[in-house]
Amino acid sequence: NHPTIIALNGSGQNVFKAEHTAWFNRAVISPDRLMFKILAGTAPVGQLRFDLSTPSVCAPTACAPTACIVSIYVLPEHAGGQHGRTALLEGLSRLRAHWPAVTQVIAEVIPSNTSAQRFFTGLGFAPQGTATSSLTTFSLTLESETIA
């Protein structure tokens, strides 16, 4: 419930401990989610998550997901130190190994979060427009084993 993270997460809402604990317990065992801690040495400074997304043209069980949604944050006191960039690049490599069918990574960013927009475009994500009235979408196509 860091105020800066809440302001940028899209919902703008605090999460109660019991609610977060229940979500986390489901999240860590979900086969549709990869989660990573971002560390500075041994200290946790952020989180990276990939959630599988089935293309809208597919029935729920008709085809394998080929896209995922990325969610990442670094605590403000550690921002700008390359932790997020390093974590996302490593995470993309692990994503490819874990889910080879995934060919697209999507980031959804609130329009006022210009630092996240620069972060994603700096790593090759292309702006796709507005996903909803409150989110802008960025997309990265995974074409090869090597992500720059």
Side-chain angles (χ1 to χ4, degrees):
N1 282 329
H2 193 288
T4 303
I5 304 301
I6 290 169
L8 299 175
N9 76 4
S11 77
Q13 302 294 315
N14 282 332
V15 178
F16 295 104
K17 184 172 178 136
E19 179 185 0
H20 185 265
T21 300
W23 172 87
F24 184 80
N25 289 337
R26 289 188 311 273
V28 296
I29 62 171
S30 173
D32 296 334
R33 181 170 287 136
L34 290 177
M35 293 177 59
F36 305 96
K37 272 187 201 177
I38 300 173
L39 302 174
T42 59
V45 298
Q47 177 264 326
L48 170 64
R49 185 177 82 230
F50 296 102
D51 294 298
L52 283 178
S53 176
T54 303
S56 59
V57 296
C58 296
T61 59
C63 61
T66 58
C68 67
I69 308 292
V70 62
S71 173
I72 185 170
Y73 75 82
V74 174
L75 295 172
E77 57 270 26
H78 295 280
Q82 299 297 310
H83 298 298
R85 183 181 198 290
T86 300
L88 184 54
L89 292 174
E90 176 65 24
L92 289 168
S93 177
R94 291 181 184 204
L95 167 73
R96 295 282 296 175
H98 191 76
W99 290 323
V102 169
T103 58
Q104 183 180 34
V105 180
I106 300 162
E108 297 174 329
V109 179
I110 62 171
S112 63
N113 191 351
T114 56
S115 63
Q117 293 173 24
R118 286 190 306 272
F119 173 78
F120 286 113
T121 56
L123 287 167
F125 284 72
Q128 301 297 306
T130 303
T132 67
S133 60
S134 61
L135 295 172
T136 301
T137 302
F138 295 81
S139 178
L140 177 70
T141 300
L142 303 176
E143 295 179 359
S144 67
E145 293 298 318
T146 306
I147 309 287

